[in-house]
Amino acid sequence: MSDLVDKIKSMIKTFSYVTTGVLFSTALFISVFKPQASLDVTLLWQILCTTLICTLGNLLYPSREISTKQIVIRMFIHYLYIHVVIFSCAYFFDWFELNNGQMRVFMFICITVVFAAVSWFTWHEDKKTSELLNHSLEKYRKRE
Amino acid sequence: MKIIIEDIGPDDEEEIIIRCREVDETIMRFVNRLKIKKEKLAVRQGEKIMQIEPGDVYYFEAVDNKVFLYLDKNVYETRLKLYELERRFAGTDFFRVSKSVILNLVKVENFYPAFNGRFEALMKNGERIIISRQYVPLLKNKLGL
């Protein structure tokens, strides 16, 4: 049960990070390629829907123990999965012309930057936790 | 707190009686500490069988149905299963950090983040042990976080 709660908590956290990243990328994309565009409210729902599907990629990491090599492989699959999701959504929601090379490269860079940023934030959170653990370990030792 | 030490005869069994109003964390830690100091672990290294103090163990690891004890430099094998060791040292400085490892918290130098919510314990002898994600909340609890 606590595994499920942990998983949901981690997915909510990832969802908020990814939403921020996607909103930022969308704003940048529209500013560069379609500065005159008038936007519909449906775009916001499309973004949330895309982000939600991207967040489901967290399910690639099981609760059971896996090796570091397995994690790296799964991170790579996760990265590819996000590309597939974003490009599929871009096609279905008609966000950009898939035959436009510049747009494809821009989107590829955005995905890579957001993926790297989310991974960094997650690592940073773990770093803070490890500092807390070290502080508590120090206190634990002093109690000996 | 009064501390009374009585001399006993060579044939008498040594005993410790703790008289207290309630068994709090300090007393439990004291009892567990004594337990570690008094117990010895029978281990094997090749053909040799010897006894070692549990407090010297850095970590226990299960590999292919065998359980090994890692000290500062030496590695020994024990016939005990990991779950038996976990039970035996419950409440002491030994703590399970993954399906296959129980480590001695006193021998941990520092914790570092690893991939995907896991952590790594850098031991005082320079070895690195992975702490699985599902054991992190228990570790936090153990360290009073």
Side-chain angles (χ1 to χ4, degrees):
Chain A
M1 186 64 187
S2 71
D3 265 5
L4 184 69
V5 173
D6 282 349
K7 196 94 193 163
I8 292 169
K9 273 187 194 169
S10 117
M11 287 180 84
I12 291 170
K13 205 184 283 177
T14 307
F15 181 77
S16 62
Y17 288 159
V18 176
T19 306
T20 310
V22 170
L23 274 177
F24 185 75
S25 305
T26 310
L28 208 62
F29 184 86
I30 292 168
S31 305
V32 172
F33 293 104
K34 298 177 178 178
Q36 312 299 330
S38 61
L39 304 172
D40 201 87
V41 70
T42 49
L43 179 69
L44 293 175
W45 289 111
Q46 289 169 0
I47 288 171
L48 286 173
C49 173
T50 309
T51 310
L52 186 68
I53 302 170
C54 284
T55 307
L56 292 178
N58 275 24
L59 296 173
L60 281 165
Y61 307 99
S63 301
R64 69 183 159 83
E65 283 170 36
I66 51 171
S67 65
T68 304
K69 189 179 158 194
Q70 270 282 323
I71 288 179
V72 173
I73 293 170
R74 280 163 199 259
M75 276 178 86
F76 184 67
I77 295 171
H78 191 184
Y79 175 68
L80 293 180
Y81 165 81
I82 289 170
H83 275 279
V84 171
V85 171
I86 300 276
F87 279 93
S88 305
C89 287
Y91 175 75
F92 284 116
F93 298 139
D94 205 20
W95 287 343
F96 62 85
E97 303 94 57
L98 284 175
N99 54 0
N100 183 327
Q102 266 189 329
M103 286 184 176
R104 282 204 312 265
V105 170
F106 188 89
M107 197 46 80
F108 169 80
I109 293 169
C110 281
I111 294 169
T112 307
V113 169
V114 172
F115 188 82
V118 172
S119 302
W120 186 83
F121 274 117
T122 311
W123 183 84
H124 188 71
E125 290 254 308
D126 288 348
K127 177 109 176 73
K128 279 199 289 187
T129 306
S130 73
E131 279 163 10
L132 279 173
L133 285 173
N134 287 328
H135 184 65
S136 305
L137 181 68
E138 199 57 45
K139 284 206 281 190
Y140 181 86
R141 282 204 206 104
K142 280 181 185 157
R143 282 194 309 214
E144 292 301 307
Chain B
M1 193 202 309
K2 256 196 324 193
I3 296 176
I4 301 166
I5 300 172
E6 288 176 13
D7 281 332
I8 54 168
D11 298 330
D12 297 330
E13 195 186 347
E14 289 178 324
E15 66 174 343
I16 295 168
I17 299 169
I18 299 171
R19 298 179 67 229
C20 59
R21 284 189 192 87
E22 67 170 325
V23 181
D24 60 11
E25 200 201 338
T26 315
I27 289 172
M28 274 319 291
R29 289 175 72 85
F30 177 67
V31 171
N32 290 328
R33 202 93 201 127
L34 274 171
K35 210 160 91 178
I36 284 192
K37 283 279 173 210
K38 284 283 168 192
E39 271 192 67
K40 297 271 186 207
L41 277 169
V43 296
R44 270 195 326 182
Q45 192 181 40
E47 295 301 304
K48 275 198 301 189
I49 293 180
M50 56 193 97
Q51 290 205 315
I52 59 154
E53 283 196 20
D56 293 336
V57 177
Y58 277 60
Y59 62 97
F60 300 102
E61 185 179 29
V63 183
D64 297 333
N65 285 326
K66 287 180 179 173
V67 176
F68 296 95
L69 291 80
Y70 295 79
L71 275 68
D72 188 19
K73 289 190 173 69
N74 297 320
V75 182
Y76 301 100
E77 191 186 336
T78 174
R79 281 175 191 271
L80 293 167
K81 300 282 178 204
L82 211 59
Y83 73 89
E84 290 173 321
L85 288 163
E86 191 180 18
R87 259 188 229 156
R88 193 156 161 183
F89 295 114
T92 67
D93 297 327
F94 287 95
F95 184 77
R96 191 160 191 150
V97 293
S98 67
K99 213 168 68 182
S100 58
V101 175
I102 295 172
L103 64 74
N104 187 349
L105 285 172
V106 173
K107 302 289 187 191
V108 175
E109 186 71 53
N110 264 317
F111 294 108
Y112 293 97
F115 284 112
N116 198 240
R118 300 184 316 165
F119 290 86
E120 215 172 44
L122 172 67
M123 307 304 285
K124 285 182 174 168
N125 62 353
E127 284 194 67
R128 289 174 180 271
I129 307 292
I130 286 289
I131 301 165
S132 293
R133 207 166 51 170
Q134 56 265 54
Y135 289 90
V136 174
L138 301 171
L139 177 64
K140 284 184 184 172
N141 194 30
K142 172 88 178 169
L143 294 176
L145 258 177

